[in-house]
Amino acid sequence: MRPVPVPRVRRAARWIAVGVVTVVTAASAAACSTAPTASAGGSSRTIQVVAAENFWGSIASQLGGSRAKVTSIINNPAADPHDYEPTAADARTFAGARYTVVNGIGYDAWASKLLAASAGNDRTDLNVGDLLGIKPGGNPHRWYSPADVHTVIGKITDDYKAIDPADAAYFDQQRTTYEKTTLAPYEKLVAGIKAKYAGTPIGASESIVSPLAEQLGLRMLTPVGFLNAISEGSDPVAADKAAIDQQIATGQIKVYVFNSQNATPDVRAQVAAAKAKGIPVATVTETLTPAGATFQDWQVHQLQAIEQALATAARR
C-alpha cells in the first residue's frame, strides 16, 4: 500500500549527540561484525552488512545470499533519507557492521557521520557517490540509473570477495544469477521502453526521475531548476513553475512522472492539471514500496506504469 503523499521539507539532518555514539564499545562492535553460520563449504561466518537505505540493502542482501546478513536503516516508505534523524540504535548498528553501503552525494549525510564516529580498521565502507565519481551537488538518485546499479552490483561483489575470499566463487555465482536472471525483467523493460519510446517529451516533479529518463531515452522538458528545487525542498522560482504549467497546458509533455512521497502543493497542482489535460501520469517513490519489496520488483512495477503511460500517450 502506497504511503499517503505528503509535502516534504528538506532540512539539515540534526546530528545525534556524541554520547550516543560512545555507548558503543570497541568490544561490542567487534563482536557484531561477524556471526557464525551453518552454511556448507567456504567460510563459517556471515558478513554483517548495514545499508543506509533499503534500495541498496535489497541488492546487497541478494548478492550476499546466505553469506551476508543485511540491515537497512531506512526501511519505511514514509521515511525521508534526506532528513532522517539517526538514533542510538542506528549508531550501534553501524558500529557493529563489517561492511556498509551509503548513497553519498549529500543524500544521507547522517549516515556518513555515523560511520565517521565509529571508524574501525576492520570495516569496509562503500559510498556510492564516491564509487561513481559524483560529488555533492550532483543528482544523488543513482539507484534510478540502470547503468549505475550494475556498477554498484560489481563493487559490492568485489568487496564481499575481499572480505570473505573463501566464498569468492559463491559471490560470483550470486552476482551472475542476480544480473542475468533476477534482473532480466527489469533489463527487458528498460530496453523495450527505450527502443519504442525514445525521444518522447516528458515532465516530472523532481530530479529523482532524471537518471531513469536519461537511460530510457526520454526527453525531459521540465526545467532543471524546478526538478532540483522540489527534490531539495526549496521553493521553485516563478519562471520555472510558469514554464512547466505552459508545457502541461499546451500538451508539450506527453507523460508526467511524479514522486508520490514528495507531493508538494506545486506538484499536486501539476498532477491535477496534467490529468485534466488528458496527459497520463505515472508514479514513482523514493524508497522501496511497499515495505519489504525487492529492488527489482519495485522497479519493474514502476517501469510498467511508465510504459503504460507512454503507450496511452502514443495512442492519443
Side-chain angles (χ1 to χ4, degrees):
M1 181 175 182
R2 292 188 183 282
V4 177
V6 293
R8 179 173 63 190
V9 179
R10 294 278 189 262
R11 62 188 183 278
R14 293 198 294 270
W15 178 230
I16 58 177
V18 173
V20 169
V21 177
T22 57
V23 300
V24 184
T25 66
S28 65
C32 293
S33 63
T34 57
T37 181
S39 60
S43 70
S44 60
R45 308 184 76 80
T46 49
I47 304 170
Q48 299 298 309
V49 182
V50 178
E53 298 88 11
N54 59 5
F55 39 81
W56 295 129
S58 175
I59 293 173
S61 179
Q62 293 176 81
L63 293 173
S66 63
R67 273 62 163 186
K69 180 181 179 182
V70 180
T71 301
S72 296
I73 301 297
I74 301 291
N75 55 22
N76 184 336
D80 182 355
H82 290 265
D83 59 5
Y84 179 73
E85 296 178 15
T87 66
D90 296 334
R92 290 191 294 271
T93 300
F94 269 115
R98 179 66 180 83
Y99 185 60
T100 69
V101 184
V102 303
N103 192 76
I105 324 176
Y107 186 75
D108 48 11
W110 56 269
S112 296
K113 290 177 180 178
L114 284 176
L115 291 176
S118 61
N121 294 329
D122 196 38
R123 190 183 70 210
T124 300
D125 299 325
L126 170 58
N127 181 301
V128 172
D130 291 347
L131 171 67
L132 301 173
I134 302 174
K135 303 299 183 184
N139 192 316
H141 308 103
R142 306 324 304 175
W143 62 99
Y144 270 103
S145 165
D148 290 348
V149 166
H150 281 285
T151 299
V152 173
I153 288 170
K155 179 59 174 172
I156 291 175
T157 301
D158 288 344
D159 287 344
Y160 281 167
K161 290 161 62 178
I163 294 168
D164 178 12
D167 280 320
Y170 175 82
F171 292 126
D172 281 336
Q173 184 58 52
Q174 290 293 106
R175 175 184 180 179
T176 297
T177 299
Y178 189 62
E179 289 192 302
K180 302 299 183 183
T181 303
T182 308
L183 288 183
Y186 166 76
E187 298 291 352
K188 183 178 180 180
L189 277 164
V190 170
I193 292 171
K194 184 172 184 178
K196 193 168 185 178
Y197 299 108
T200 302
I202 70 167
S205 66
E206 65 155 289
S207 63
I208 193 172
V209 183
S210 299
L212 181 60
E214 180 180 349
Q215 301 243 319
L216 295 177
L218 304 177
R219 186 159 57 93
M220 180 69 72
L221 295 191
T222 306
V224 173
F226 183 91
L227 297 173
N228 290 340
I230 297 299
S231 180
E232 295 306 320
S234 58
D235 292 327
V237 299
D240 286 344
K241 288 195 290 185
I244 192 166
D245 288 345
Q246 178 70 10
Q247 291 167 359
I248 291 172
T250 59
Q252 293 178 54
I253 63 171
K254 304 307 178 184
V255 169
Y256 185 89
V257 185
F258 87 108
N259 176 3
S260 64
Q261 290 175 320
N262 189 14
T264 68
D266 285 325
V267 169
R268 290 197 298 271
Q270 289 177 5
V271 169
K275 289 180 177 179
K277 184 67 179 178
I279 297 171
V281 175
T283 301
V284 298
T285 58
E286 191 104 6
T287 55
L288 299 185
T289 307
T294 63
F295 172 83
Q296 62 274 5
D297 287 347
W298 171 55
Q299 288 290 310
V300 163
H301 177 77
Q302 295 184 141
L303 285 166
Q304 288 172 335
I306 292 172
E307 182 181 45
Q308 183 177 3
L310 289 165
T312 299
R315 291 193 296 267
R316 294 179 67 239

